[in-house]
Amino acid sequence: MDKITNEEFKQQIERWQAQIALAGIRLPNGEALPDKFFHLFLGVGYSTFKKMISGKESIREIQPYTARTIRFLNKLDDQVFLSEIRLCIPHYINKYQD
């Protein structure tokens, strides 16, 4: 998985969203984690993330290092993955909900 398409990237975000929702992880205000959360989780800029997930005219190719990161994240035990999600929530809140 050193190369993934933008559609595969979008589907991966959807799978993670479903996993997170099933675990009942939400923002402190009770809202579900938005897709925007994942740019911080993956360590990419928001404008880059939007282009990666959009599939529109301003599409950006998914870089091999991002594909590799996704592959590693998918190998994590569910509890470890969800723990990493929880650890990133304060970063998201600090950046977007102050």
Side-chain angles (χ1 to χ4, degrees), residues 11 16-17 24 47 62 70 80 85 87:
Q11 291 169 358
W16 284 342
Q17 285 284 32
S47 63
I62 309 302
I70 291 168
V80 174
I85 292 292
L87 286 172

Side-chain angles (χ1 to χ4, degrees), residues 22-72:
L22 188 61
I25 297 173
R26 303 183 78 71
L27 294 172
N29 64 7
E31 293 178 8
L33 297 178
D35 286 350
K36 186 177 191 176
F37 168 84
F38 290 96
H39 90 88
L40 293 172
F41 185 67
L42 292 170
V44 298
Y46 183 57
S47 63
T48 298
F49 178 80
K50 285 192 319 189
K51 290 175 184 176
M52 289 164 48
I53 203 166
S54 74
K56 303 287 186 223
E57 63 284 343
S58 63
I59 202 164
R60 177 155 192 250
E61 184 176 318
I62 309 302
Q63 297 298 311
Y65 58 85
T66 302
R68 197 170 318 116
T69 298
I70 291 168
R71 187 179 73 240
F72 290 148

Side-chain angles (χ1 to χ4, degrees), residues 1 6 10 19 21 24-25 31 38 55 72 76 81 95 97:
M1 179 193 252
N6 294 79
K10 185 176 180 176
Q19 184 180 3
I25 297 173
E31 293 178 8
F38 290 96
F72 290 148
L76 294 176
F81 172 77
K95 185 160 181 79
Q97 296 191 340

Side-chain angles (χ1 to χ4, degrees), residues 77-96:
D77 174 80
D78 283 353
Q79 293 310 308
V80 174
F81 172 77
L82 295 171
S83 175
E84 291 299 319
I85 292 292
R86 287 183 188 98
L87 286 172
C88 191
I89 290 173
H91 184 55
Y92 175 82
I93 292 166
N94 288 338
K95 185 160 181 79
Y96 292 111

